[in-house]
Amino acid sequence: MCLSTWIPARLHVCVCVCVCVCMCVSVCTAPANAQIVHSGAACNVKDDNISERIYTIKEGDTLVLQCIVKGHPRPQVRWTKTAGSASDKFQETSIYNETLRIEGIQRVQGGRYYCKADNGVGVAAIKSIRVDVQYLDTPVLTVHQTISDVRGSYYQEKTVFLRCTVNSNPPARFIWKRGNTLIEQSKDNGVDIYEPLYTQGETKVLKLKNLRPKDFADYTCQVSVRNVCNIEDKSVTFRLTNATSPPMIRLSVNDTVVVDPGQDVIITCEVTAGFPPPTVTWSRYPGPLPLSAQVRGPTLILRAVTPADAGFYNCSAVNNVGNPARKNINLVVRSNNLTFQITPDSNKDSESIQMGRDLKLSCHVDATPQDKVNYTWYKNGAPVFNSESLILLRSDPDMAPGTSSLEIVDMKFRDLATYSCVANFPGSRVPELRVDVNISQNSGEVFPPLSVSVVREGGNAELVCLVDGKPPPPILWSRVEKDLLMPSGKPIVETPDGRLRLRNVSRDMMGAYRCQTAPYNGLNIRRREAQVQLSVQYPPVLDPVFQDVRSRNSQMVTLRCTVLRSNPPRLTDIRWFRNGDFIRMPMPDLKETPELKFKLEPTNNGTYECRVSNNAGTSTCTFNVSAQPYNAEFYFDTPNPVRILKGNNYSYNLQWTQKDPEATDRIIGYWISVWKICVQKPEKGVLLSYTISDLRIPLSYEVRLAPVTTYSRGDYISRTIQYSEHHVCGFEDDRICGFSQDRSDVFDWTRQNHLTQNPKRSANTGPETDRSGTKEGYYMYIEASRPRVQGDKARLLSPLFNVTSVRGPKGSGRVPYCVSFYYHMKGKHIGTLNVLLRVRSIASVDSVVWTKSGHQGVDWKKAFFDISPSGPFQIVFEGIRGPSFEGDIAIDDVSITLGKCKQENTVASAGKTGNLHSARHLLKLLLLLESDRGQTN
């Protein structure tokens, strides 16, 4: 290692000659692990079972879930939700971020959220948390009245039901009041309070039996969720009087209204009864009210109606007494769509107009009602009347309802003429509609054979399906493949001239299109059809688009640019370039895969391009060719990388891996900022380590790392290492954060998790999982089974903390520390857990600073206290075996923090919502990527 001076804020000064330092290596690749922690506006977070948590939040607040991941390489994160994805529609951050944020969460967004972390090593890690959205709507109070005869008397009994309904989570509690007085069923024989069975607890009914004068009063229904998430109670009040009655309405128009297009429609829904005064609303089925609709009190105004405005309109009057009053109006808007058909002699299966055979002309208007339409037929402008050769049908039974037909019997030359059908609407402002049909012997349709239309991607295309016939029918276009829609998104498109025009054509539009004659406005015969093939030309599709190629010097390199598809398939040119300069070489075979071979030298590293062309354009494969080694990748999950040294200094254990070290020349070392270190031959998937010492407390440093080969140096990667006063240990690493067993005790503490527990262990003692409830998380415990006997002691020693160079607060020579940890003491034979402060001086002195004995419940509990050591110190956890085997004691998440304990300075806050995330199945001692990685034991 070279002599150097480290200066914070990204400045480094190096003075000296570098020498090689050997590296330590250990296996590094680790499968993904994950844990969900929370922040935001949570009301409550509790454990549902050992593997899932319940996150309670108020509707409208902000949900923030963070998936703390661990593994090497760094896992990719994706959020999902039960019954679908955690859609971006409801959040401000992507579902692929480690943090999921949902502003203004709604009740429908409650459910189980899953965080999946995957890095391609082993099985993906999946954790879940259930989000319970709490809410309380304003209650709705409705009144229902019944009147029944009382036998043997001359009066009637009037009973009133006040029904209060609310939507809430959790279920609401109901309180009824008359005026300001609470109604209690046990103290008033005139009332019943009950819950209808079919409403599942969201409705309470107040029944007023045989209505009394005092029952005419103000009634309040108050609902409460007992201040969950600080949700305040809500209430609704109704005044019951002897005038209370349900609503009644009547309309100013008939049930069916027929109007012309462009006409204004005004409908009034008059309230004839009801107290309190009802509120009138308008709606439409199907669909909402038209955008042009105006509602003024009980009146609905529709301006310049169109056929799209037709439908059923509903008027509703509500005053929360009885059932709402409703009336429906069917609005019919007359249509002006006139179509015709020419039917040759159907008795003789004719498909053309022939002399001596019958012919039928049909005329139809899509109008409602049909009986309001009058049809008139003309021949060469003269009215047509019934005769032996011309038969008029007002409503043709063989055609659609409301169709008028003119039958020509035994057609003669005199019948070749122009026939006109005129439709008019008596009493309507809709103008008459007219269609002219020219009948001649050569009326018919002829389609061209299959044709092909060729267009370049991004251009415009016109598919033509020509029709030779009189009259020419409309053409209906569709895709030949049944599952494909037309470019417009519709299954069928009609064109009057047989020309389908497509703009901005893309390759997915390529394929066969079917054109057919429409069954209207032409001969009513078997439908004719043909196909048109659309061929879209596009530049070659190549693979790879980009590839990073690393190789050793003097090795042969082969670059291949594969043509996946191309239209037209014939290539016209293939050219290779290096750093933008054309490489002169023999013309390659256009039928073979483009390929370039050369020996890699320091002078020909660079960017290579293969440009492949056809008649539609040019595409490029790009290759970055280099003998430079791949970048190293920092390992951010090093357990306890910080060590405190003498003289207010600390060291940092920097770890990283090397991607594919065999791809280039042998890596002989690394530049770490201004130091050069040598390594044994790095291997793929092996962790490299180097300890940087003599760092000053509390400064932070930027570290830059680059691999070095005989001929070149790789690119630098950088990260910031930072000293932190937090010393948290979750015992996830087998080195247990520098803790050690006391050699002078009787037996040792044991490191264990749920997966390593003895299945035959004592069932009524010891924890099921670590403190966070995950099966993968570790903890330390003492085993009380044989051969242990009462009074046996096991001591666990923390690393040594050097405090000689640190001064205490003003007026004090000692520095306070906060010791925090979780303990588990379940069992009827629990002994004692002591925490001792061992101060190192000429002779070590132990003093008990915390103690607990006996059964303490089934859950993990937190303890914290202050110490003020007079010199270098250690914390000692002493477990003492009780009278029998059901006496296992466990500890977890030990935290030693400079300064006095604060309410928020707990393992829970440091481990879940602070800067140091104690993610259990993430090796709990997770050091954040940038600002919080420097944690000590």
Side-chain angles (χ1 to χ4, degrees), residues 442-493:
N442 61 349
S443 294
E445 293 95 358
V446 178
F447 275 87
L450 177 68
S451 60
V452 178
S453 179
V454 179
V455 63
R456 286 195 178 185
E457 192 169 35
N460 300 329
E462 183 177 89
L463 307 186
V464 180
C465 205
L466 297 179
V467 181
D468 181 15
K470 293 184 181 180
I475 300 299
L476 303 181
W477 291 88
S478 62
R479 300 292 292 267
V480 172
E481 295 185 37
K482 295 181 179 180
D483 297 335
L484 296 180
L485 298 176
M486 296 292 288
S488 63
K490 299 178 180 179
I492 297 177
V493 173

Side-chain angles (χ1 to χ4, degrees), residues 821 823 825 832-837 847-853 856 862-865 876-877 891:
F821 63 96
Y823 63 91
M825 302 171 69
T832 301
L833 174 63
N834 294 324
V835 181
L836 297 87
L837 173 64
S847 58
V848 177
V849 290
W850 184 93
T851 186
K852 191 74 70 174
S853 299
Q856 300 297 322
K862 177 178 66 66
F864 58 92
F865 52 86
V876 181
F877 289 92
I891 61 172

